[in-house]
Amino acid sequence: MMNLFVLQLLNGVQLGVLLFLIAAGLTLVFGIMDVVNLAHGVLYMVGAYFVATFAALTGSFWWGLVLMLPAAVAVGLILEYVVIRRLYTRSHLDQVLATFGLVMIANETVKIVWGVSPLSVPLPEILSGSVPLMDPLRYPVYRIAIIVAGLAVAAGLFVTINHTRIGMLLRAGATNRAMVSALGIDIGKLFAIVFTLGAVLACLAGALVAPILSVDTGMGESVLILTFVVVVIGGIGSIKGAFLGAILVAVVDTLGGVFGPILLRAVLDPSAAGQAGRMLAPMLVYILMAAILFARPAGLFGGRA
Amino acid sequence: MTKTKLLASTLLSLAAVPALAQDVPPAAQDDVLKIGLMYTLSGPAAALGEHARDGFMLAAEQMGDIGGMETEIIVVDDEQRPDLAADKARELVQRENVDFVVGPIFSNILVAIHQPVTETGTILISTNAGTSNFAGADCHPNFFVTSYQNDQNHEVMGAYAQQQGYENVFLMAPNYQAGKDSLAGFKHSYTGGIAGEVFTELGQLDFSSELAQIAAFQPDALFTFMPGGMGVNLVKQYDQAGLSSIPFLSAFTVDETTLPATQDAALGLLGGQNWAPDLDNEANAAFVEAFIEKYDYVPGTYAMQAYDAAQLIQSAVSKLDGDLTDRDALRAALKEADFDSPRGDFSFGVNNYPVQDFYLVEAVKRDDGRYATSIREKIFDDYVDTYADQCEMQ
């Protein structure tokens, strides 16, 4: 049982860093630009499709990953310029409608361009296989690589936000947008940077996860809701909050998914226990969210409620 | 005057409708042999339908005029939606006047189109789905199956686990009817202990939690039923998690439709099937070679079973010299199953489901670099499904 706990903890952290990469962009866009972007999951999906395409073209996962980055920047800039820019002054309802429309357009476009069959991305040779953990348990090298890459990006973001000029502007923008603008900062440019940064992070998450999942059109939506929970728990606009929230949500979700059914199996038949456990795990996440919001209405690190 | 004409034509067309319910459908009275193929050709499971369609079309092309009759084949996509499939099936029998409907892949589609097709006297040949109800109490003289009864592939794996003396098998399937039937089928022929029984969400893609449980329990073997994209992900992740030392027994998970995506990750994994591309007989060698020649991929069981459906139609139509009006004679000719199946022994049981051999198969890489399943050993000989006793058809 201890073995299982350790394995699941690792799985939780791995899901957590992925959630963080997606949530970081979402919380910045929401916190600084005050835009509710339902299409954020689309960027995650597009990142996965990009890496699948480029890896197939070049025959190497690493080239796929490298080429994905400029493509992600381009998608971010274009989306910001064509759609998001027009939503800054609109109400949240308009933003939800527009970005929801974007989700449907993007999914159909992906189907037209890449077809309906899921794509698969081969694992890079050096990261395939598994390492011994505690005998007889083994853990896939690639999932460890995801954890390392995610933590590195988190550290980089942390330094950027706390110790650079652009980071200072981001923090200021999240706290008081009007004042930043009044001090003579080009808010339009700042917004474009923020949105593109978020887009690249989400694309990166999609690209990292592509070799372990199959690349499919619905993959963005499945992760978006959990990401919003992370943003709300962490506090809107807070990168630190997004990180803690993501790890917390992911660990609760994965541990609950396994230990829920195991505990329930003592009192129910396996089929019913499996079903109830499946429902219990996502419920735990929302119970956690409710509890945190009860204690801290603005989230863990939220500046304003 | 025009109103009278309109009324008259309406009455005439209404009068024509009951003719459909008679035993001899109008399709049988012309000289053209019309066949409707209904497969899932879009969405995540499209590959299965493509295998089946290509298998049938290959046979049709080799035969030219099937049974000496001018042949017309209509291909429709059921989109894996039962409501749509029922409508399209009605269209095939009532508007297109087809003589045979061939398909589908999925059991829920079969249940939806069975009545609309068979009640008009048209023959329905399922080349994959073989539900228990139509094998047992609801068996029908106009319904034939060239695949298997759904439970059988799972029973093969259960029998293999039993034979290996496993005492602790971990079971995993998606949480829907076919998943539950699968585990029930496995347990029908396996009486050893169960290490764990997990039902996953249908469409789940990340199996890290389930694999962690398997790693922690260290069972003698895993038995799973994960069709389509779920299976692709599970196989890849199973390999990545370093669980390959635990035998991987499966049904409908490791086959020619998923192997192109899983490739090396699936090598050595086991499944239960009624055939494999390397089954040693003349008819099979010719079929597999012609198929790869034409379509440039290795056929799966879906293709082989559809190929046999075409051979079945050809054998019956030739016997009757193209006269399909005597329906009893047609059904009798079909039931004789007088053709050489690539799977070797093939005959129909009392319920029009096949009586055939089942094998343990293993995923291998062929000499030409393609991936395929390969026969390891025969598990059941001339195996009759367990529902045939409940069929009261003669």
Side-chain angles (χ1 to χ4, degrees):
Chain A
M1 214 34 85
M2 189 61 207
N3 293 349
L4 185 55
F5 185 79
V6 173
L7 265 189
Q8 276 307 82
L9 208 58
L10 273 175
N11 284 331
V13 173
Q14 181 251 303
L15 178 64
V17 298
L18 279 179
L19 278 181
F20 165 70
L21 289 180
I22 311 168
L26 195 63
T27 198
L28 286 177
V29 170
F30 201 3
I32 298 174
M33 294 154 62
D34 200 24
V35 171
V36 183
N37 182 17
L38 291 187
H40 202 70
V42 163
L43 297 163
Y44 168 76
M45 168 182 77
V46 165
Y49 271 96
F50 276 156
V51 88
T53 310
F54 293 136
L57 283 179
T58 59
S60 147
F61 174 76
W62 302 108
W63 275 112
L65 203 58
V66 170
L67 290 174
M68 181 277 299
L69 290 172
V73 171
V75 168
L77 286 175
I78 292 169
L79 262 190
E80 199 274 341
Y81 188 77
V82 177
V83 182
I84 308 295
R85 182 162 288 198
R86 282 149 232 285
L87 299 174
Y88 293 149
T89 53
R90 299 298 196 90
S91 69
H92 279 165
L93 183 62
D94 289 354
Q95 295 169 353
V96 166
L97 277 176
T99 52
F100 185 62
L102 214 53
V103 171
M104 295 199 275
I105 293 170
N107 281 345
E108 282 309 310
T109 311
V110 163
K111 275 185 197 160
I112 292 167
V113 176
W114 281 285
V116 286
S117 306
L119 304 181
S120 84
V121 179
L123 267 185
E125 196 61 40
I126 187 171
L127 297 179
S128 56
S130 55
V131 289
L133 206 62
M134 303 173 301
D135 200 58
L137 296 189
R138 302 179 70 83
Y139 200 71
V141 178
Y142 190 77
R143 287 185 193 261
I144 296 175
I146 290 183
I147 295 175
V148 173
L151 291 179
V153 172
L157 261 184
F158 189 75
V159 171
T160 311
I161 293 209
N162 289 311
H163 301 285
T164 65
R165 186 175 161 75
I166 185 89
M168 187 181 72
L169 290 177
L170 290 182
R171 277 180 288 136
T175 320
N176 193 331
R177 187 158 47 138
M179 187 54 81
V180 174
S181 176
L183 287 172
I185 308 298
D186 183 350
I187 204 87
K189 207 164 102 192
L190 182 67
F191 282 8
I193 291 172
V194 169
F195 187 82
T196 307
L197 177 68
V200 170
L201 289 175
C203 280
L204 181 65
L208 286 178
V209 86
I212 43 175
L213 301 186
S214 61
V215 179
D216 207 353
T217 38
M219 62 189 290
E221 281 81 90
S222 57
V223 80
L224 185 72
I225 306 217
L226 220 47
T227 314
F228 268 107
V229 173
V230 167
V231 169
V232 169
I233 285 182
I236 292 158
S238 164
I239 290 285
K240 210 174 4 171
F243 184 76
L244 270 178
I247 301 287
L248 210 58
V249 164
V251 168
V252 166
D253 194 46
T254 44
L255 285 182
V258 167
F259 289 98
I262 288 178
L263 294 179
L264 285 173
R265 218 166 286 159
V267 284
L268 293 169
D269 78 276
S271 167
Q275 177 78 329
R278 287 273 141 207
M279 283 150 70
L280 190 80
M283 229 151 67
L284 281 179
V285 168
Y286 297 108
I287 293 168
L288 173 78
M289 178 173 84
I292 287 177
L293 289 186
F294 182 74
R296 299 181 67 97
L300 291 174
F301 295 95
R304 52 201 157 89
Chain B
M1 191 60 199
T2 46
K3 268 190 186 170
T4 321
K5 265 186 184 168
L6 184 70
L7 187 66
S9 60
T10 314
L11 283 173
L12 274 176
S13 61
L14 282 177
V17 172
L20 285 173
Q22 290 170 7
D23 194 41
V24 182
Q29 283 148 16
D30 57 27
D31 296 333
V32 185
L33 177 67
K34 260 191 167 186
I35 302 168
L37 297 192
M38 176 174 288
Y39 288 120
T40 301
L41 295 167
S42 57
L48 314 188
E50 282 166 10
H51 269 252
R53 180 198 58 199
D54 291 351
F56 194 92
M57 296 311 266
L58 174 70
E61 196 188 86
Q62 290 173 343
M63 294 164 187
D65 291 341
I66 296 180
M69 287 178 86
E70 185 190 337
T71 308
E72 193 184 322
I73 297 172
I74 304 161
V75 182
V76 290
D77 176 11
D78 60 41
E79 298 176 32
Q80 217 181 333
R81 284 168 50 198
D83 50 334
L84 186 95
D87 284 345
K88 288 194 172 175
R90 270 185 212 105
E91 216 168 279
L92 281 176
V93 285
Q94 294 181 8
R95 193 175 311 157
E96 301 285 353
N97 280 329
V98 297
D99 298 286
F100 295 90
V101 174
V102 175
I105 297 291
F106 290 94
S107 296
N108 55 346
I109 305 286
L110 173 65
V111 172
I113 68 171
H114 184 273
Q115 196 202 357
V117 176
T118 54
E119 75 176 0
T120 62
T122 311
I123 304 289
L124 175 61
I125 303 177
S126 172
T127 66
N128 190 57
T131 55
S132 54
N133 58 333
F134 298 134
D138 298 336
C139 59
H140 195 285
N142 292 334
F143 178 59
F144 291 82
V145 174
T146 61
S147 48
Y148 38 67
Q149 199 282 312
N150 284 353
D151 299 2
Q152 288 179 311
N153 290 21
H154 311 290
E155 289 167 7
V156 170
M157 296 322 286
Y160 174 71
Q162 186 77 13
Q163 176 193 323
Q164 290 295 306
Y166 293 145
E167 286 166 357
N168 215 7
V169 178
F170 194 93
L171 307 180
M172 175 159 80
N175 198 356
Y176 75 124
Q177 197 53 46
K180 290 176 186 164
D181 290 350
S182 153
L183 299 195
F186 181 85
K187 285 191 241 172
H188 179 79
S189 48
Y190 171 75
T191 51
I194 307 289
E197 190 168 337
V198 169
F199 287 97
T200 61
E201 214 172 303
L202 188 61
Q204 178 172 324
L205 295 180
D206 189 349
F207 293 94
S208 55
S209 299
E210 290 75 15
L211 295 180
Q213 293 185 56
I214 295 170
F217 290 144
Q218 290 290 316
D220 292 339
L222 163 72
F223 170 72
T224 187
F225 161 68
M226 283 288 163
M230 295 184 290
V232 172
N233 279 359
L234 175 65
V235 166
K236 283 165 79 178
Q237 292 167 16
Y238 196 76
D239 182 54
Q240 287 161 22
L243 289 171
S244 312
S245 57
I246 300 172
F248 184 103
L249 317 181
S250 64
F252 306 106
T253 305
V254 179
D255 61 24
E256 284 73 15
T257 62
T258 57
L259 280 168
T262 52
Q263 305 201 340
D264 284 343
L267 293 183
L269 303 191
L270 303 173
Q273 282 174 196
N274 53 359
W275 166 88
D278 67 346
L279 185 63
D280 192 16
N281 69 58
E282 220 168 285
N284 190 40
F287 162 65
V288 174
E289 194 191 321
F291 192 96
I292 295 177
E293 168 88 10
K294 184 159 163 49
Y295 301 108
D296 199 28
Y297 66 89
V298 184
T301 48
Y302 306 98
M304 182 277 293
Q305 290 155 182
Y307 183 83
D308 272 358
Q311 295 205 79
L312 173 65
I313 294 174
Q314 149 115 334
S315 70
V317 174
S318 324
K319 270 193 184 146
L320 303 173
D321 288 325
D323 176 19
L324 304 181
T325 47
D326 183 349
R327 306 305 280 182
D328 284 333
L330 174 63
R331 284 187 282 259
L334 285 167
K335 194 139 189 165
E336 281 174 36
D338 190 7
F339 61 91
D340 288 331
S341 171
R343 76 192 93 174
D345 295 352
F346 181 100
S347 61
F348 282 117
V350 62
N351 53 359
N352 293 350
Y353 276 55
V355 176
Q356 58 189 335
D357 304 339
F358 282 87
Y359 303 89
L360 178 76
V361 301
E362 178 183 358
V364 296
K365 189 171 188 173
R366 291 157 43 110
D367 294 337
D368 61 2
R370 298 176 208 267
Y371 297 83
T373 54
S374 166
I375 302 281
R376 257 189 49 178
E377 62 181 281
K378 190 188 275 189
I379 301 286
F380 291 134
D381 193 56
D382 290 339
Y383 191 46
V384 182
D385 64 86
T386 50
Y387 301 92
D389 307 343
Q390 298 163 29
C391 171
E392 287 170 1
M393 193 161 65
Q394 283 315 307

